[in-house]
Amino acid sequence: MPGSVQNAAPATVMPLSLSRAFVHSREYPAIENEYQNGESQRSVQATNSRKRWRLAKRLPPGTLAALRDFYDARKGATDPFYLYDPYETNPRFSHGPTGQAPTGRYTVRFEGEWNQSVGLSRADVSIELTEL
């Protein structure tokens, strides 16, 4: 059918050592109208939240190199992959390296460009993952 878009088909899983460096947040899309008298009207745009993960740790050089290699192999935000949220797997903090276990697995992609600053023996990378 013309104009239809294929679903994301991830071919790989983010390694457990990298996925533990991300923290989970949720975003509920809403429509907001603000009026001149200061009142506002809001309505929910979707019933499900959109999940995001952001890097929350300063990375040592070896982990930073592994994350950069993984990012480059996915061509930045182009290729989707599986992420296991360690708090939602069963048992907790387990990992399915093949992507077959559905519990706690999300199809995600990188959000934004690679942006890094390096300090004394650690690096800060501001990067997010977005659920597809």
Side-chain angles (χ1 to χ4, degrees):
M1 171 183 265
S4 44
V5 177
Q6 296 292 329
N7 288 337
T12 189
V13 178
M14 177 177 267
L16 178 63
S17 61
L18 297 177
S19 63
R20 287 187 173 182
F22 287 86
V23 293
H24 180 207
S25 65
R26 292 177 185 249
E27 179 180 289
Y28 291 90
I31 299 172
E32 181 178 4
N33 291 325
E34 292 190 28
Y35 301 105
Q36 284 185 334
N37 64 357
E39 293 180 2
S40 65
Q41 180 181 13
R42 296 177 182 94
S43 64
V44 178
Q45 208 173 16
T47 56
N48 294 336
S49 65
R50 184 164 203 184
K51 296 166 189 70
R52 293 181 175 271
W53 292 264
R54 68 176 169 75
L55 191 62
K57 293 183 178 181
R58 299 184 82 198
L59 301 176
T63 308
L64 175 65
L67 180 60
R68 182 60 195 229
D69 291 343
F70 190 80
Y71 178 86
D72 289 341
R74 306 290 81 70
K75 301 176 196 129
T78 306
D79 293 343
F81 55 93
Y82 287 130
L83 169 78
Y84 280 96
D85 190 329
Y87 289 97
E88 295 184 17
T89 57
N90 190 10
R92 278 191 171 193
F93 296 96
S94 62
H95 187 258
T98 62
Q100 297 300 318
T103 307
R105 179 185 73 191
Y106 293 94
T107 302
V108 298
R109 67 174 172 83
F110 286 105
E111 183 76 30
E113 298 294 322
W114 183 270
N115 185 9
Q116 120 184 20
S117 62
V118 179
L120 204 56
S121 77
R122 300 276 181 181
D124 289 321
V125 178
S126 60
I127 198 155
E128 288 189 354
L129 305 174
T130 303
E131 180 184 25
L132 299 179

